[in-house]
Amino acid sequence: DHRDLHLSLRRQRQMCIRDRLEGILLVQEEIEGTNIDVLDPLAGLIEEDDASNEFDLWSDSLQLIEDGRFAEASEKLRYLILSFPEGNFIGDALFWLGEIYFLQENYIDSSDSFNELISTYAEHSRVPDANFKLGMISLRSEDSNKAKAVSYTHLTLPTKA
């Protein structure tokens, strides 16, 4: 059971990394050769170190997760969330922090992370996964009525054309 969760976590992480890399490559192709000041006149005011530090924290966190060093990864994710509250990786950081807490059977903190993701970043691609995890937390907490309610809350059925 724990091995299945670890494999699931690894697959989700790999999908997340692949999606991020594809997005970065697309953006890089779009702006290659373009003067950054034309795209954003305030770009010169933003310190490059901040973006680099945010990405470094994010990638370090993912590597620690992959290595199974969950305590260190959760520290880095919390630091990322506190240091870059408007950053590019906050939604994903909240999701992975919730995943780590879930694997550690710390269901209260896990639930808090998933709920923050859902309430603050309602359009984030990880929201359906967070809702699913909340249902699993309820099942593990032996609250099957809440588990069913959470699992079906955001279920979208196809409409007839």
Side-chain angles (χ1 to χ4, degrees):
D1 187 36
H2 180 68
R3 186 174 289 168
D4 291 338
L5 286 173
H6 184 71
L7 288 174
S8 174
L9 179 65
R10 177 171 273 177
R11 276 189 223 110
Q12 289 176 354
R13 182 192 171 278
Q14 289 170 343
M15 289 177 11
C16 181
I17 290 171
R18 186 183 65 239
D19 291 346
R20 286 282 183 191
L21 287 175
E22 287 174 2
I24 290 169
L25 292 174
L26 286 175
V27 169
Q28 184 178 4
E29 287 175 12
E30 289 176 17
I31 64 172
E32 204 165 87
T34 304
N35 182 351
I36 192 78
D37 293 331
V38 172
L39 295 175
D40 183 2
L42 300 177
L45 300 176
I46 299 172
E47 291 192 31
E48 291 179 21
D49 287 345
D50 284 349
S52 175
N53 288 340
E54 180 190 9
F55 181 77
D56 288 345
L57 278 171
W58 173 242
S59 60
D60 289 350
S61 300
L62 293 179
Q63 186 61 54
L64 289 167
I65 291 168
E66 186 171 308
D67 294 343
R69 296 165 55 191
F70 300 127
E72 293 170 80
S74 64
E75 292 277 330
K76 288 230 183 228
L77 290 169
R78 285 192 298 270
Y79 184 72
L80 172 70
I81 292 165
L82 292 173
S83 299
F84 301 96
E86 302 297 320
N88 295 317
F89 303 102
I90 299 300
D92 289 312
L94 287 167
F95 177 80
W96 287 108
L97 191 57
E99 278 286 320
I100 290 169
Y101 290 142
F102 183 83
L103 287 173
Q104 295 172 335
E105 298 181 2
N106 180 349
Y107 299 130
I108 293 172
D109 288 340
S110 181
S111 179
D112 289 346
S113 292
F114 291 133
N115 280 318
E116 185 175 348
L117 169 62
I118 293 164
S119 65
T120 308
Y121 304 96
E123 300 300 315
H124 194 276
S125 63
R126 290 288 187 179
V127 167
D129 296 328
N131 278 308
F132 176 74
K133 290 295 183 171
L134 287 172
M136 289 182 67
I137 289 168
S138 296
L139 281 174
R140 299 258 171 120
S141 303
E142 297 181 10
D143 188 351
S144 61
N145 289 331
K146 184 176 181 183
K148 289 176 190 172
V150 169
S151 296
Y152 293 113
T153 299
H154 295 280
L155 178 64
T156 306
L157 298 174
T159 56
K160 293 182 180 179

